[in-house]
Structures are given as C-alpha cells and as structure tokens.
Amino acid sequence: MKEFSAYIRRIYKDRDYLTRSRVLHLFVFNVASVLLGTSSNFFLWVFTGRYVRIGFSIMAVASAISLFFLLRKNYETALNVVLAATIASVTFGWFWGIPNIGSDVGNKNLVLVIFIMIFLYFTDVRKTILITIYSFALIMTDEFILKKDHGTVYTADRIGLFAMFTVISILAVKTLYGSVREKNELIQEIHHRVRNNLQVLSGLVEIHSDSGKADFQSVLSDFQNRILAISEVHNYLYKSENYFDIDFSEVIEGIVKNLSVKSGKSSIRIETSTERIFLRIENALPCAMIFSELLSNALSHAFPFGEGNVRIRFRKDENKFRLIVEDDGTGIPDSEIWRRPKTAGFTLVQILTKQIKGDFRILLEGGSSAVLEFGV
C-alpha cells in the first residue's frame, strides 16, 4: 500500500493534497468493488447456476474501467464513471435486483446509505442533495407505487430515519470541508504574515542603519525590544484557537512583563487598565510595536532619578480604539518631536501610525502622555 501511495503521489504530484487523497481512496473503492462484484456473482453461480446480481455486476465493470483511467492520470473521468455506474446499479438493482425479503427490504436501505456516502465523499453537497432527492423518490416508489406491504410504522420509520441520516451526514461533511477551507485560508494568511513580518524586520534594519555606531549596545537593545513586540503577538496566536483576532490586553501584559524585566527598574511602578478588546492581526502587530516603543521610551528616559509611575490604558470609545501611555516623569521638551523624528523610535511610530491610518499625539501635562487612536 505504501508503494502504491508513493506511486499515486508521483503521478498526481501537480494536484492538491485533497485530490491525491481521493485518488488513493477511489483506487481502494474500485478494487473492493471489483472483488465484491466478482465474488458475489461467482458465489451465486456456484449455488444457483443462474442468478446474477445486476447492481454488483455494473459496479464491477465500471470500477475496472475507472481503474484504467485512474492510472492514466485522468481522475475526473475515473470518478464520473464510478458515479454514473453507482446511479445505474442502484436503479437497476432497485427494480430488478434482489427481491424484497423480510423487514430489511432486501438491504435496500443499506444500499441508499452507501449511495449517499459515495457522493458525499467524492463530490459536493449540491450533487449529494440531488442524489438524496432521487433516493427519496426510490423509497416513495417502493412504498406507494410498488406497494410493498411493509406497514405504516415501518414506512414512516424508513423515510424519517433516512432523512435524519442524510441531514447529519451532510452537516458532518460540510463541517469537514469548512475545516479544510479554513486551514487553506490559514496557511495563506500565515504566508502573508511571514512576508509582512520580514518586510517589517527589513524596515527596522534600515531604520537602525541610520542610527550610527555611537551606541551599538543601545541600538541592539532597541532592536531586540521591537522583535519581542512582534514575538508577543505571535505567541498569543500560537496559544489561541482564533488565528485572526487577538485579545490585545494579553499582548500588552506580555510586553509590559518583558520590558519590565529587561529594564531592571523595579522602582518604576507600571499600572495597566485595559479592556478585553480583540484586534485584527493587521492592526495588532503595528499597535504592539508602537506600544512597545512608547513604554520602552518611558522606562528609559522619563525617570532619570529611578522612581516614578507609568499608567497604561487601552479601551474602545465608540468607533475608535485608544491606547494611552502616560508617565509622571520629566516629560519631553517638544510634544511635536515625533513629527520630525530624529531617532529610530519616533520614525517607527510615525510609519506604523500611518500604516493603521491612526492619529498619534503627545500631551505634556505633569509628565507626558502618548495617545494613539485608530479606527475599528
């Protein structure tokens, strides 16, 4: 089986994973169908000398043809042969196959279950619904036109249970298909994020390259802080079941913890007041980097004597998010300095604020307050 799986992968290497998987499963189905049809007819011929199972015979021949097309790298034709043969075998078997025997109605109910499952797995929900309608027509024909005397209770149970089986099967398959689609979208999103992050890192390197070599250790430390801000967003994503929206209050807590430990200034008290607000990844990453920049700046420059308070607030006001980092330190000489950035930090804040179409300002009242606002 492993050798054949490898052979299928080589033949269908240009097809997606789901198609390659279905090719392998169709091969197994065809082999089982050929063996079943052949052994069933042989068994009946030995013991009766004349009886032939029409449905099994149709499927055996069709499966042999399907195998030929399958190995010729023509999966669509191979599948269509099987699906057409399935409809034909069920139809012929229904009216001219095994006679109704006992309460099981000659295994007809089981035949319809297999019928539905084949279409559910190898096609789509729309085609399966059409086959379900056709199956109901066969049941109605059996019960009301051919008028098999099965009793009212049996007829009601037969119709109701088949309907319930169909509904549950379709819902289950739709859920699985939805998971596959979500996984594909997630993979594309991850590639998109990796590309964006690499562009951000490239931009950071370019920004730092203009900082000169006067304080190489400081430049490396700042660069590390910015990388940690990106890392904190992705750390949340890895632990979350939601890959698109981020609880930004947790990201803030992670960045605060990292920078507090890294600064080593235990005498500076950091107070956080954040609401549990979810941000899309495209806003969360720039916002995390801006917040890291503001907090790092406050811890590094606002308290030359080593003591003070930093207050962090993040909330949603109507149709805007608002992030505030304020301190009671020495303040910034010029509240407009970020508009004419001479440092890598304020250059980065300016770039990222434009990226999220936000508004940034610095207020000087008993220290300094940095306010970032951006739309929902």
Side-chain angles (χ1 to χ4, degrees):
M1 191 64 181
K2 289 183 179 180
E3 289 76 9
F4 180 75
S5 297
Y7 179 66
I8 289 295
R9 284 195 294 270
R10 286 198 302 271
I11 295 179
Y12 291 89
K13 62 182 179 181
D14 58 333
R15 306 295 288 272
D16 59 274
Y17 170 80
L18 187 58
T19 300
R20 293 197 300 270
S21 178
R22 284 177 171 172
V23 167
L24 180 60
H25 295 167
L26 183 59
F27 176 84
V28 174
F29 174 85
N30 284 334
V31 171
S33 179
V34 170
L35 293 176
L36 178 61
T38 303
S39 60
S40 176
N41 281 308
F42 179 78
F43 176 82
L44 292 173
W45 177 75
V46 169
F47 285 92
T48 66
R50 54 187 176 84
Y51 197 80
V52 176
R53 302 297 300 275
I54 298 177
F56 285 173
S57 299
I58 292 174
M59 285 305 302
V61 173
S63 292
I65 297 173
S66 177
L67 282 172
F68 170 79
F69 285 112
L70 202 62
L71 297 176
R72 298 280 294 181
K73 200 184 176 181
N74 198 335
Y75 168 71
E76 286 73 18
T77 301
L79 178 59
N80 289 332
V81 168
V82 168
L83 296 178
T86 303
I87 297 174
S89 64
V90 169
T91 303
F92 279 98
W94 197 266
F95 295 102
W96 297 287
I98 187 170
N100 295 328
I101 302 173
S103 61
D104 193 40
V105 198
N107 292 323
K108 286 184 174 181
N109 296 338
L110 184 58
V111 166
L112 291 185
V113 169
I114 297 173
F115 193 31
I116 297 296
M117 293 304 296
I118 290 173
F119 273 83
L120 264 179
Y121 183 75
F122 288 109
T123 64
D124 52 43
V125 173
R126 185 178 62 85
K127 290 179 182 177
T128 303
I129 291 176
L130 294 177
I131 291 301
T132 300
I133 295 172
Y134 179 66
S135 298
F136 272 113
L138 290 178
I139 293 176
M140 295 301 180
T141 300
D142 212 30
E143 295 295 334
F144 300 107
I145 296 179
L146 300 179
K147 295 183 179 179
K148 305 299 181 182
D149 188 17
H150 300 143
T152 304
V153 174
Y154 177 84
T155 300
D157 284 350
R158 186 182 187 189
I159 295 172
L161 293 175
F162 181 73
M164 184 61 67
F165 162 79
T166 302
V167 169
I168 293 174
S169 298
I170 290 176
L171 290 177
V173 171
K174 279 185 70 67
T175 300
L176 292 175
Y177 282 173
S179 298
V180 172
R181 191 179 304 111
E182 182 181 8
K183 179 182 177 182
N184 291 336
E185 291 176 357
L186 178 59
I187 291 173
Q188 293 176 357
E189 179 68 18
I190 288 173
H191 286 310
H192 179 67
R193 291 175 191 174
V194 169
R195 185 192 66 183
N196 286 349
N197 286 344
L198 290 175
Q199 289 175 341
V200 170
L201 293 178
S202 176
L204 286 177
V205 171
E206 185 175 349
I207 290 173
H208 283 288
S209 66
D210 297 330
S211 301
K213 300 180 180 180
D215 191 352
F216 187 67
Q217 187 64 37
S218 176
V219 169
L220 284 180
S221 179
D222 290 342
F223 189 78
Q224 184 184 37
N225 290 341
R226 287 151 191 161
I227 298 299
L228 287 174
I230 298 175
S231 173
E232 197 59 43
V233 174
H234 285 276
N235 183 48
Y236 174 84
L237 286 175
Y238 297 147
K239 296 185 294 183
S240 172
E241 295 181 357
N242 187 341
Y243 299 103
F244 300 98
D245 295 310
I246 295 174
D247 183 356
F248 199 70
S249 62
E250 292 195 16
V251 175
I252 288 177
E253 290 177 5
I255 293 175
V256 168
K257 182 178 179 180
N258 287 336
L259 292 181
S260 297
V261 173
K262 198 166 181 291
S263 69
K265 296 181 178 180
S266 57
S267 58
I268 299 176
R269 293 177 294 278
I270 301 177
E271 176 189 338
T272 58
S273 176
T274 59
E275 298 178 6
R276 193 164 188 259
I277 298 174
F278 288 85
L279 296 182
R280 298 291 292 177
I281 178 66
E282 55 267 23
N283 285 335
L285 192 56
C287 192
M289 295 183 68
I290 292 174
F291 170 68
S292 175
E293 202 64 42
L294 297 176
L295 181 58
S296 177
N297 189 65
L299 293 175
S300 300
H301 306 295
F303 308 102
F305 303 107
E307 292 187 358
N309 299 282
V310 177
R311 290 172 293 278
I312 301 162
R313 286 178 285 169
F314 182 63
R315 62 177 183 268
K316 181 180 178 183
D317 294 332
E318 297 181 354
N319 62 340
K320 283 188 176 182
F321 296 113
R322 179 175 294 155
L323 173 66
I324 302 174
V325 178
E326 57 184 1
D327 62 72
D328 56 4
T330 57
I332 298 176
D334 183 5
S335 63
E336 299 296 314
I337 190 174
W338 73 276
R339 296 185 185 277
R340 304 177 301 277
K342 296 181 180 179
T343 64
F346 279 122
T347 301
L348 186 61
V349 169
Q350 188 182 70
I351 293 172
L352 295 175
T353 300
K354 289 180 180 179
Q355 182 177 325
I356 60 177
K357 297 180 174 64
D359 178 61
F360 179 78
R361 61 186 183 274
I362 296 177
L363 306 177
L364 302 179
E365 295 179 4
S368 63
S369 297
V371 181
L372 173 68
E373 293 180 336
F374 56 98
V376 176

